[in-house]
Amino acid sequence: MTTRLTARDLTLRYGDRVVSTRLELDVPDGAFTAIVGPNACGKSTLLRAFVRLLRPSDGHVLFDGREVGSYPGKALARELGFLPQDPVAPDDIRVRQLVARGRFPHQSLLSTWSEQDEAAVAGAMDAAGVTGLADRPVQELSGGQRQRVWVAVVLAQRTPYLLLDEPTSFLDIAHQYQLLALLARLRDEGRTVIAVLHDINQACRYADHLVAMKEGRVVAQGAAADIVDAALVKEVFDLPSIVVPDPVTGTPMVVPSL
């Protein structure tokens, strides 16, 4: 396994509240990594540290062996695209305008809007299924429509790494699976995808690499087939279950036995 993005001996906190202590994680390149675990276990906090929205209290977040905090902002944003849980759009902005903001890391004072920028925006909107919403005000959209627009924003960055925090939130079940299939295709094209997911069965089906967290620590990581069993589900989620093969993919499928 090769890796460009790593956490080393990482301690993360919000004020006096410690979220993670001495966390270690290597994100495999060119893979779809899903991070799962109960609420408030540190999943989102870890993603925020990866994109330097949260400064570690101790330890290191490294990209290509270099502290992420040492990169100029635009340089890091050309490598790591990030979709947070609750992004906020400016008032009265329209869909195409918002998606175009994904091209900001590629702009400079001397550059002008290019055919490459236009193609990136159009391709991102098509991939996210929001082309038909291009001229709609974002604030008028449903929660699911807005979520797909934000996915288009991060796709328009065209970064080799995509980090998404609960990207299936607000989406109906059909759009959830469409988005996960899109992320798997991007992985197949060479992107590295890291996503926080709540549904462990979706994570098992689509991710190459599963990271299970609890109370700020990594409990297990690896291929779903190697690590997901009833004991892990009980330990991480405190949920009695049986684990059977998914009838479509053969990957582990968790069936609660309450």
Side-chain angles (χ1 to χ4, degrees), residues 83-89 95 98 128-130 133 136-152 165-173 175-176 179:
L83 177 61
Q85 273 189 42
D86 298 305
V88 178
V95 168
L98 183 60
V130 297
L133 305 175
R136 294 272 303 276
V138 174
Q139 64 188 16
E140 293 182 3
L141 302 180
S142 70
Q145 289 172 324
R146 283 197 299 271
Q147 186 73 355
R148 288 188 284 131
V149 170
W150 282 110
V151 169
D165 193 356
E166 299 185 21
T168 56
S169 295
F170 306 111
L171 298 181
D172 60 53
I173 191 167
H175 282 110
Q176 288 178 28
L179 174 58

Side-chain angles (χ1 to χ4, degrees), residues 34-37 210-214 217-221 227 232 236:
I35 305 175
V36 300
L210 202 67
V211 177
M213 293 186 64
K214 183 177 183 180
R217 60 191 176 88
V218 174
V219 175
Q221 61 175 308
I227 67 169
L232 179 73
V236 173

Side-chain angles (χ1 to χ4, degrees), residues 53-73:
L53 291 177
L54 179 65
R55 183 176 179 178
S57 299
D58 201 4
H60 310 277
V61 175
L62 305 174
F63 186 71
D64 284 341
R66 176 179 167 187
E67 296 276 0
V68 294
S70 69
Y71 282 83

Side-chain angles (χ1 to χ4, degrees), residues 1-2 16 26 63 82 115 193 207 250:
M1 182 187 74
T2 60
D16 294 332
D26 293 328
F63 186 71
F82 177 55
E115 291 183 2
V193 177

